[in-house]
Amino acid sequence: MAGIAAWTGSGPHARAKSRFIYKYGNNLPTSHPLNRRAREAADRIRKETAGELDIRIFPSNQLGGDTGMLNQLRAGAIEFFTPSSLAIATLVPSAAINAVGFAFRDYNAVWAAMDGDLGGFIAAQIEKAGLHMMPRVWDNGFRQITTSRRPILSPADLAGVKIRVPVSQIPISLFRTLGGTPTGMQFSEVYTALQTHIVDGQENPLPIIDTAKLYEVQTYVSQTNHIWDGYLFVANGAAWYRLPKDMRKIAESAFNELCMAQRADIAALNVSVRAALSARHMTFVDPDPAPFKKKLIERGFYRQWRERFGDVAWRHLERYVGRLA
Ligand code: X2X
C-alpha cells in the first residue's frame, strides 16, 4: 500500500489526531455517485466526531480487485468495503438473493425489498460472516449488456459472444444458461480486456459505463435490465464494534442519509446518461425481456437457484417480485 494516497483528508479536521483511522476501499472511479456521496459521509463523520473517526477512501481498485478487498476486509487490513451483491456472493452466497436474473422489474420493488425484509435477511447473513452491513443498500443499478460488434436483441444473439461478468457464480450461470460465453473477471481488468478484445462485451449499469469510460471501447448497449445490483456498505465486524456506540450511531446515520442521496443521483443518471452515451456514439437497443426469461425458465435456471439459495431466501425474494417460475 506504500505510496497510495487516500482520496480524502482535506477537511478542517484532517489534521486532528484521530482515535480511529479506518480505510475504506472500493472499485469505482471518483466521479461515480458512490464515491462522491461516501466522501461526503466521511467528511460529515469526521466533523461530527470532532476528528476522532477518520475514514480514508481508496477508490478505483487502488487496494486491489474485489476479491482482494474482500480478503483485506475479513482480515481487518481495511475496515470498510462496498462489495456489490455479486461480489459479496463469493463469501456470503445468500447475500446475492437480489441478483437473480430478471427478478426485479422496477425500482419500486427494489427499494421495498431492500429496505424491507429482503434487506434485513441479507444484513443478517452478512453479520453471521463476521461483518457488519449498514442498513441502507446503495445503488449500483440495473445491469445492461454492452458489446463491440453487434447488439444483443435476443438470447440467440449471445451465442459465441464472450462476455465479461463479475467473479461470481450467479452472472456466470445466467449468461451460460442464456447461451453466451461468460468469463469472470475483476472490474479492474475490464477496460483493458475490452480494448484488446480479450472479451467482446461486458454488462454493467449505465452510470458505470459512463464514469469508467467504457464507451471508449464499446459500441452497443442492450438495455436488458437483467440484474438489479446494489452496493453493500460493509464493515469488518470487530472494527465496527470496537467503535464507541455514539460514534457508530453517527457513522451509521451519515452512511444511511448519504445513501439516500446516492440513490437519487443514480435515478437522475438513469434518465440522463443514455443521451450522454448516445452523444458519444453508443447505439442503444431495448430488447424484450420475455424471451430471456422464457429461456431461463425452460432451462431450469430458477429451479436450480431456488435450491442453491434455499427456500427461506427465495420466499423473501418472491414476496417482492412475485412467483419466478
Ligand atoms: O465488477 C463490476 O462489474 C461492478 C463494478 O459492477 C461490480 O462491482 C460488480
Side-chain angles (χ1 to χ4, degrees):
M1 218 182 287
I4 295 176
W7 181 64
T8 188
S10 57
H13 297 280
R15 269 172 286 133
K17 208 167 167 337
S18 301
R19 195 143 54 111
F20 300 95
I21 297 175
Y22 276 12
K23 297 189 203 75
Y24 159 42
N26 69 60
N27 64 9
L28 290 178
T30 53
S31 53
H32 189 281
L34 175 91
N35 267 316
R36 292 183 178 279
R37 296 302 186 176
R39 185 169 163 153
E40 274 180 61
D43 286 348
R44 189 165 125 186
I45 292 163
R46 209 176 295 115
K47 205 165 145 207
E48 290 184 5
T49 62
E52 295 241 299
L53 175 53
D54 184 5
I55 298 171
R56 303 195 173 168
I57 307 179
F58 296 84
S60 307
N61 292 298
Q62 282 180 24
L63 304 181
D66 284 350
T67 308
M69 284 191 279
L70 203 50
N71 286 334
Q72 292 171 54
L73 182 76
R74 292 175 71 195
I78 62 176
E79 287 80 11
F80 292 104
F81 173 41
T82 40
S84 102
S85 308
L86 302 175
I88 193 76
T90 58
L91 176 66
V92 188
S94 56
I97 182 68
N98 58 277
V100 171
F102 296 92
F104 285 102
R105 249 158 308 202
D106 58 42
Y107 271 106
N108 287 341
V110 166
W111 298 132
M114 300 311 284
D115 292 338
D117 286 352
L118 193 73
F121 169 80
I122 292 168
Q125 305 310 305
I126 285 172
E127 200 80 24
K128 278 188 211 157
L131 303 172
H132 176 75
M133 186 186 112
M134 302 304 141
R136 297 272 176 251
V137 174
W138 299 50
D139 196 10
N140 187 354
F142 279 95
R143 300 182 76 91
Q144 320 295 356
I145 302 171
T146 70
T147 45
S148 56
R149 280 183 240 281
R150 56 186 163 90
I152 307 302
L153 284 158
S154 69
D157 291 331
L158 281 168
V161 175
K162 254 184 137 177
I163 184 159
R164 175 273 172 180
V165 296
V167 179
S168 182
Q169 289 299 312
I170 199 158
I172 291 173
S173 159
L174 177 71
F175 279 93
R176 210 170 267 157
T177 307
L178 290 171
T181 309
T183 314
M185 191 187 289
Q186 302 289 324
F187 187 63
S188 44
E189 314 291 326
V190 170
Y191 184 96
T192 306
L194 293 168
Q195 190 176 38
T196 56
H197 298 285
I198 287 171
V199 290
D200 307 311
Q202 65 85 45
E203 44 80 63
N204 251 301
L206 297 186
I208 287 186
I209 295 165
D210 189 34
T211 54
K213 297 188 164 47
L214 300 186
Y215 54 80
E216 292 177 351
V217 288
Q218 293 282 270
T219 306
Y220 299 101
V221 184
S222 299
Q223 289 215 247
T224 45
N225 298 303
H226 54 275
I227 285 173
W228 177 79
D229 195 14
Y231 274 112
L232 311 182
F233 219 111
V234 178
N236 170 285
W240 177 252
Y241 291 105
R242 198 182 301 134
L243 298 174
K245 206 169 169 195
D246 58 334
M247 219 180 260
R248 292 202 303 260
K249 216 172 144 199
I250 288 171
E252 187 175 290
S253 90
F255 284 131
N256 283 351
E257 270 176 43
L258 274 304
C259 167
M260 298 315 270
Q262 190 267 357
R263 290 180 186 179
D265 294 340
I266 297 287
L269 287 177
N270 285 339
V271 176
S272 65
V273 169
R274 181 165 171 150
L277 292 175
S278 299
R280 294 190 187 277
H281 308 293
M282 292 200 95
T283 301
F284 280 76
V285 295
D286 297 283
D288 177 3
F292 291 86
K293 214 168 164 185
K294 185 164 171 262
K295 190 154 187 178
L296 294 179
I297 294 168
E298 281 168 8
R299 301 185 79 172
F301 175 84
Y302 295 107
R303 209 181 325 115
Q304 185 203 335
W305 279 95
R306 182 191 179 123
E307 252 164 56
R308 289 174 78 162
F309 277 117
D311 280 345
V312 174
W314 201 261
R315 263 200 306 276
H316 279 303
L317 176 64
E318 286 193 334
R319 228 188 99 190
Y320 297 97
V321 302
R323 277 294 298 274
L324 283 167

mmCIF file of all heavy atoms in Angstrom, residues 27-28 61 66 81-87 140 143 164-167 185-188 190 202-205 208 229-231, ligand 1:
data_model
loop_
_atom_site.group_PDB
_atom_site.id
_atom_site.type_symbol
_atom_site.label_atom_id
_atom_site.label_comp_id
_atom_site.label_asym_id
_atom_site.label_seq_id
_atom_site.Cartn_x
_atom_site.Cartn_y
_atom_site.Cartn_z
ATOM 1 N N ASN A 27 -14.281 -0.135 -5.796
ATOM 2 C CA ASN A 27 -13.815 -0.431 -7.160
ATOM 3 C C ASN A 27 -14.237 0.604 -8.197
ATOM 4 O O ASN A 27 -14.124 0.356 -9.392
ATOM 5 C CB ASN A 27 -14.289 -1.836 -7.583
ATOM 6 C CG ASN A 27 -15.810 -1.952 -7.676
ATOM 7 O OD1 ASN A 27 -16.522 -0.960 -7.587
ATOM 8 N ND2 ASN A 27 -16.304 -3.172 -7.871
ATOM 9 N N LEU A 28 -14.742 1.767 -7.758
ATOM 10 C CA LEU A 28 -15.304 2.718 -8.728
ATOM 11 C C LEU A 28 -14.478 3.995 -8.865
ATOM 12 O O LEU A 28 -13.782 4.406 -7.937
ATOM 13 C CB LEU A 28 -16.731 3.090 -8.301
ATOM 14 C CG LEU A 28 -17.766 1.974 -8.434
ATOM 15 C CD1 LEU A 28 -19.117 2.455 -7.936
ATOM 16 C CD2 LEU A 28 -17.869 1.483 -9.875
ATOM 17 N N ASN A 61 -10.150 0.675 -7.201
ATOM 18 C CA ASN A 61 -9.334 -0.541 -7.056
ATOM 19 C C ASN A 61 -7.881 -0.257 -6.696
ATOM 20 O O ASN A 61 -6.993 -1.047 -7.006
ATOM 21 C CB ASN A 61 -9.359 -1.369 -8.361
ATOM 22 C CG ASN A 61 -10.727 -1.967 -8.625
ATOM 23 O OD1 ASN A 61 -11.213 -2.768 -7.843
ATOM 24 N ND2 ASN A 61 -11.354 -1.556 -9.712
ATOM 25 N N ASP A 66 -11.968 -6.751 -6.272
ATOM 26 C CA ASP A 66 -12.973 -7.084 -5.257
ATOM 27 C C ASP A 66 -12.553 -8.263 -4.377
ATOM 28 O O ASP A 66 -12.739 -8.233 -3.168
ATOM 29 C CB ASP A 66 -14.310 -7.428 -5.934
ATOM 30 C CG ASP A 66 -15.028 -6.171 -6.417
ATOM 31 O OD1 ASP A 66 -14.586 -5.063 -6.063
ATOM 32 O OD2 ASP A 66 -16.014 -6.323 -7.143
ATOM 33 N N PHE A 81 -15.614 -1.736 3.077
ATOM 34 C CA PHE A 81 -15.571 -2.088 1.659
ATOM 35 C C PHE A 81 -17.018 -2.080 1.173
ATOM 36 O O PHE A 81 -17.926 -2.405 1.936
ATOM 37 C CB PHE A 81 -14.936 -3.478 1.503
ATOM 38 C CG PHE A 81 -14.970 -4.069 0.107
ATOM 39 C CD1 PHE A 81 -14.729 -3.288 -1.019
ATOM 40 C CD2 PHE A 81 -15.223 -5.432 -0.073
ATOM 41 C CE1 PHE A 81 -14.748 -3.844 -2.300
ATOM 42 C CE2 PHE A 81 -15.240 -5.992 -1.351
ATOM 43 C CZ PHE A 81 -15.009 -5.195 -2.463
ATOM 44 N N THR A 82 -17.231 -1.663 -0.076
ATOM 45 C CA THR A 82 -18.577 -1.753 -0.652
ATOM 46 C C THR A 82 -18.567 -2.775 -1.786
ATOM 47 O O THR A 82 -18.435 -2.413 -2.944
ATOM 48 C CB THR A 82 -19.050 -0.379 -1.195
ATOM 49 O OG1 THR A 82 -17.952 0.282 -1.835
ATOM 50 C CG2 THR A 82 -19.618 0.489 -0.102
ATOM 51 N N PRO A 83 -18.710 -4.065 -1.437
ATOM 52 C CA PRO A 83 -18.861 -5.062 -2.484
ATOM 53 C C PRO A 83 -20.243 -4.925 -3.105
ATOM 54 O O PRO A 83 -21.197 -4.557 -2.427
ATOM 55 C CB PRO A 83 -18.750 -6.391 -1.729
ATOM 56 C CG PRO A 83 -19.208 -6.073 -0.345
ATOM 57 C CD PRO A 83 -18.816 -4.641 -0.087
ATOM 58 N N SER A 84 -20.347 -5.214 -4.387
ATOM 59 C CA SER A 84 -21.674 -5.304 -4.983
ATOM 60 C C SER A 84 -22.294 -6.625 -4.525
ATOM 61 O O SER A 84 -21.607 -7.499 -3.991
ATOM 62 C CB SER A 84 -21.603 -5.213 -6.515
ATOM 63 O OG SER A 84 -21.728 -6.484 -7.097
ATOM 64 N N SER A 85 -23.580 -6.765 -4.754
ATOM 65 C CA SER A 85 -24.266 -8.016 -4.401
ATOM 66 C C SER A 85 -23.549 -9.201 -5.030
ATOM 67 O O SER A 85 -23.433 -10.268 -4.425
ATOM 68 C CB SER A 85 -25.696 -7.976 -4.905
ATOM 69 O OG SER A 85 -26.340 -6.801 -4.485
ATOM 70 N N LEU A 86 -23.056 -9.010 -6.261
ATOM 71 C CA LEU A 86 -22.415 -10.122 -6.971
ATOM 72 C C LEU A 86 -21.089 -10.488 -6.324
ATOM 73 O O LEU A 86 -20.724 -11.660 -6.231
ATOM 74 C CB LEU A 86 -22.206 -9.743 -8.440
ATOM 75 C CG LEU A 86 -23.501 -9.379 -9.182
ATOM 76 C CD1 LEU A 86 -23.193 -8.905 -10.591
ATOM 77 C CD2 LEU A 86 -24.437 -10.576 -9.212
ATOM 78 N N ALA A 87 -20.348 -9.480 -5.849
ATOM 79 C CA ALA A 87 -19.033 -9.746 -5.253
ATOM 80 C C ALA A 87 -19.149 -10.367 -3.868
ATOM 81 O O ALA A 87 -18.393 -11.274 -3.518
ATOM 82 C CB ALA A 87 -18.222 -8.451 -5.187
ATOM 83 N N ASN A 140 -26.125 0.283 -7.272
ATOM 84 C CA ASN A 140 -25.253 0.112 -8.426
ATOM 85 C C ASN A 140 -26.156 0.330 -9.641
ATOM 86 O O ASN A 140 -25.928 1.231 -10.429
ATOM 87 C CB ASN A 140 -24.578 -1.266 -8.402
ATOM 88 C CG ASN A 140 -23.524 -1.422 -9.494
ATOM 89 O OD1 ASN A 140 -23.357 -0.558 -10.350
ATOM 90 N ND2 ASN A 140 -22.805 -2.535 -9.493
ATOM 91 N N ARG A 143 -28.355 -3.837 -14.474
ATOM 92 C CA ARG A 143 -27.213 -4.128 -15.346
ATOM 93 C C ARG A 143 -27.656 -4.252 -16.806
ATOM 94 O O ARG A 143 -28.696 -4.824 -17.097
ATOM 95 C CB ARG A 143 -26.486 -5.388 -14.856
ATOM 96 C CG ARG A 143 -25.966 -5.219 -13.413
ATOM 97 C CD ARG A 143 -25.202 -6.422 -12.905
ATOM 98 N NE ARG A 143 -23.867 -6.503 -13.457
ATOM 99 C CZ ARG A 143 -22.781 -5.959 -12.903
ATOM 100 N NH1 ARG A 143 -22.878 -5.288 -11.758
ATOM 101 N NH2 ARG A 143 -21.609 -6.089 -13.479
ATOM 102 N N ARG A 164 -17.674 -10.481 -20.415
ATOM 103 C CA ARG A 164 -17.105 -10.410 -19.067
ATOM 104 C C ARG A 164 -18.219 -10.192 -18.061
ATOM 105 O O ARG A 164 -19.086 -9.338 -18.255
ATOM 106 C CB ARG A 164 -16.097 -9.263 -18.971
ATOM 107 C CG ARG A 164 -15.552 -9.049 -17.545
ATOM 108 C CD ARG A 164 -16.436 -8.129 -16.696
ATOM 109 N NE ARG A 164 -16.020 -8.072 -15.293
ATOM 110 C CZ ARG A 164 -16.631 -7.346 -14.366
ATOM 111 N NH1 ARG A 164 -17.675 -6.621 -14.665
ATOM 112 N NH2 ARG A 164 -16.213 -7.366 -13.113
ATOM 113 N N VAL A 165 -18.180 -10.974 -16.980
ATOM 114 C CA VAL A 165 -19.088 -10.758 -15.855
ATOM 115 C C VAL A 165 -18.233 -10.690 -14.584
ATOM 116 O O VAL A 165 -17.075 -11.100 -14.601
ATOM 117 C CB VAL A 165 -20.146 -11.893 -15.730
ATOM 118 C CG1 VAL A 165 -21.068 -11.921 -16.940
ATOM 119 C CG2 VAL A 165 -19.484 -13.244 -15.528
ATOM 120 N N PRO A 166 -18.767 -10.152 -13.486
ATOM 121 C CA PRO A 166 -18.001 -10.157 -12.234
ATOM 122 C C PRO A 166 -17.655 -11.589 -11.804
ATOM 123 O O PRO A 166 -18.305 -12.545 -12.239
ATOM 124 C CB PRO A 166 -18.949 -9.501 -11.233
ATOM 125 C CG PRO A 166 -19.847 -8.651 -12.068
ATOM 126 C CD PRO A 166 -20.041 -9.424 -13.343
ATOM 127 N N VAL A 167 -16.656 -11.715 -10.945
ATOM 128 C CA VAL A 167 -16.248 -13.023 -10.443
ATOM 129 C C VAL A 167 -17.299 -13.464 -9.430
ATOM 130 O O VAL A 167 -17.267 -13.081 -8.264
ATOM 131 C CB VAL A 167 -14.848 -12.944 -9.782
ATOM 132 C CG1 VAL A 167 -14.438 -14.298 -9.230
ATOM 133 C CG2 VAL A 167 -13.824 -12.426 -10.789
ATOM 134 N N MET A 185 -14.224 -11.940 -14.273
ATOM 135 C CA MET A 185 -13.026 -11.098 -14.300
ATOM 136 C C MET A 185 -13.214 -9.915 -13.342
ATOM 137 O O MET A 185 -14.325 -9.391 -13.230
ATOM 138 C CB MET A 185 -12.870 -10.569 -15.736
ATOM 139 C CG MET A 185 -11.572 -9.899 -16.070
ATOM 140 S SD MET A 185 -11.671 -9.175 -17.752
ATOM 141 C CE MET A 185 -11.659 -10.616 -18.795
ATOM 142 N N GLN A 186 -12.157 -9.521 -12.640
ATOM 143 C CA GLN A 186 -12.234 -8.360 -11.752
ATOM 144 C C GLN A 186 -12.535 -7.101 -12.571
ATOM 145 O O GLN A 186 -12.062 -6.975 -13.710
ATOM 146 C CB GLN A 186 -10.906 -8.158 -11.009
ATOM 147 C CG GLN A 186 -10.462 -9.338 -10.172
ATOM 148 C CD GLN A 186 -11.316 -9.549 -8.933
ATOM 149 O OE1 GLN A 186 -11.774 -8.598 -8.315
ATOM 150 N NE2 GLN A 186 -11.542 -10.803 -8.588
ATOM 151 N N PHE A 187 -13.266 -6.176 -11.978
ATOM 152 C CA PHE A 187 -13.611 -4.954 -12.700
ATOM 153 C C PHE A 187 -12.365 -4.165 -13.111
ATOM 154 O O PHE A 187 -12.345 -3.511 -14.158
ATOM 155 C CB PHE A 187 -14.534 -4.065 -11.849
ATOM 156 C CG PHE A 187 -15.057 -2.877 -12.602
ATOM 157 C CD1 PHE A 187 -15.873 -3.046 -13.712
ATOM 158 C CD2 PHE A 187 -14.712 -1.587 -12.234
ATOM 159 C CE1 PHE A 187 -16.341 -1.952 -14.431
ATOM 160 C CE2 PHE A 187 -15.182 -0.485 -12.939
ATOM 161 C CZ PHE A 187 -16.000 -0.668 -14.041
ATOM 162 N N SER A 188 -11.322 -4.255 -12.295
ATOM 163 C CA SER A 188 -10.083 -3.527 -12.597
ATOM 164 C C SER A 188 -9.466 -3.932 -13.942
ATOM 165 O O SER A 188 -8.661 -3.200 -14.502
ATOM 166 C CB SER A 188 -9.065 -3.733 -11.461
ATOM 167 O OG SER A 188 -9.036 -5.092 -11.075
ATOM 168 N N VAL A 190 -11.373 -4.799 -16.671
ATOM 169 C CA VAL A 190 -12.382 -4.787 -17.731
ATOM 170 C C VAL A 190 -12.045 -3.862 -18.906
ATOM 171 O O VAL A 190 -12.131 -4.262 -20.071
ATOM 172 C CB VAL A 190 -13.775 -4.438 -17.149
ATOM 173 C CG1 VAL A 190 -14.790 -4.177 -18.249
ATOM 174 C CG2 VAL A 190 -14.264 -5.590 -16.278
ATOM 175 N N GLN A 202 -19.399 -6.724 -22.038
ATOM 176 C CA GLN A 202 -19.475 -6.775 -20.568
ATOM 177 C C GLN A 202 -20.872 -6.315 -20.215
ATOM 178 O O GLN A 202 -21.654 -5.928 -21.088
ATOM 179 C CB GLN A 202 -18.382 -5.906 -19.945
ATOM 180 C CG GLN A 202 -18.511 -4.412 -20.219
ATOM 181 C CD GLN A 202 -19.433 -3.690 -19.259
ATOM 182 O OE1 GLN A 202 -19.371 -3.894 -18.043
ATOM 183 N NE2 GLN A 202 -20.314 -2.837 -19.778
ATOM 184 N N GLU A 203 -21.194 -6.340 -18.931
ATOM 185 C CA GLU A 203 -22.517 -5.863 -18.515
ATOM 186 C C GLU A 203 -22.386 -5.089 -17.212
ATOM 187 O O GLU A 203 -21.704 -5.528 -16.298
ATOM 188 C CB GLU A 203 -23.517 -7.015 -18.441
ATOM 189 C CG GLU A 203 -23.025 -8.284 -17.780
ATOM 190 C CD GLU A 203 -23.078 -8.187 -16.279
ATOM 191 O OE1 GLU A 203 -24.190 -8.043 -15.722
ATOM 192 O OE2 GLU A 203 -22.006 -8.253 -15.652
ATOM 193 N N ASN A 204 -22.955 -3.898 -17.187
ATOM 194 C CA ASN A 204 -22.896 -3.023 -16.019
ATOM 195 C C ASN A 204 -23.997 -1.969 -16.146
ATOM 196 O O ASN A 204 -24.487 -1.718 -17.241
ATOM 197 C CB ASN A 204 -21.528 -2.322 -15.940
ATOM 198 C CG ASN A 204 -20.667 -2.840 -14.800
ATOM 199 O OD1 ASN A 204 -21.058 -2.775 -13.638
ATOM 200 N ND2 ASN A 204 -19.512 -3.379 -15.140
ATOM 201 N N PRO A 205 -24.374 -1.338 -15.030
ATOM 202 C CA PRO A 205 -25.349 -0.258 -15.110
ATOM 203 C C PRO A 205 -24.791 0.952 -15.884
ATOM 204 O O PRO A 205 -23.572 1.166 -15.923
ATOM 205 C CB PRO A 205 -25.585 0.105 -13.645
ATOM 206 C CG PRO A 205 -25.205 -1.137 -12.888
ATOM 207 C CD PRO A 205 -24.055 -1.704 -13.639
ATOM 208 N N ILE A 208 -21.973 3.330 -14.568
ATOM 209 C CA ILE A 208 -20.609 2.780 -14.590
ATOM 210 C C ILE A 208 -20.052 2.805 -16.010
ATOM 211 O O ILE A 208 -18.883 3.149 -16.227
ATOM 212 C CB ILE A 208 -20.580 1.345 -13.998
ATOM 213 C CG1 ILE A 208 -20.751 1.426 -12.479
ATOM 214 C CG2 ILE A 208 -19.271 0.631 -14.367
ATOM 215 C CD1 ILE A 208 -20.593 0.110 -11.744
ATOM 216 N N ASP A 229 -28.453 -4.695 -9.159
ATOM 217 C CA ASP A 229 -27.267 -4.885 -8.324
ATOM 218 C C ASP A 229 -27.099 -3.718 -7.355
ATOM 219 O O ASP A 229 -27.228 -2.553 -7.757
ATOM 220 C CB ASP A 229 -26.051 -4.970 -9.266
ATOM 221 C CG ASP A 229 -24.810 -5.516 -8.592
ATOM 222 O OD1 ASP A 229 -24.919 -6.073 -7.488
ATOM 223 O OD2 ASP A 229 -23.722 -5.387 -9.195
ATOM 224 N N GLY A 230 -26.833 -4.029 -6.092
ATOM 225 C CA GLY A 230 -26.612 -2.984 -5.095
ATOM 226 C C GLY A 230 -25.183 -2.985 -4.603
ATOM 227 O O GLY A 230 -24.420 -3.921 -4.880
ATOM 228 N N TYR A 231 -24.812 -1.932 -3.915
ATOM 229 C CA TYR A 231 -23.529 -1.903 -3.211
ATOM 230 C C TYR A 231 -23.810 -1.953 -1.714
ATOM 231 O O TYR A 231 -24.503 -1.082 -1.178
ATOM 232 C CB TYR A 231 -22.739 -0.634 -3.541
ATOM 233 C CG TYR A 231 -21.912 -0.755 -4.793
ATOM 234 C CD1 TYR A 231 -22.212 -0.018 -5.930
ATOM 235 C CD2 TYR A 231 -20.808 -1.599 -4.831
ATOM 236 C CE1 TYR A 231 -21.435 -0.130 -7.081
ATOM 237 C CE2 TYR A 231 -20.022 -1.715 -5.980
ATOM 238 C CZ TYR A 231 -20.343 -0.977 -7.093
ATOM 239 O OH TYR A 231 -19.575 -1.088 -8.216
HETATM 240 O O1 X2X B 1 -17.495 -5.528 -11.374
HETATM 241 C C1 X2X B 1 -18.500 -4.936 -11.780
HETATM 242 O O2 X2X B 1 -18.988 -5.125 -12.894
HETATM 243 C C2 X2X B 1 -19.181 -3.935 -10.863
HETATM 244 C C3 X2X B 1 -18.357 -2.673 -10.835
HETATM 245 O O3 X2X B 1 -20.467 -3.649 -11.295
HETATM 246 C C4 X2X B 1 -19.293 -4.588 -9.530
HETATM 247 O O4 X2X B 1 -18.870 -4.070 -8.550
HETATM 248 C C5 X2X B 1 -19.976 -5.895 -9.501
#
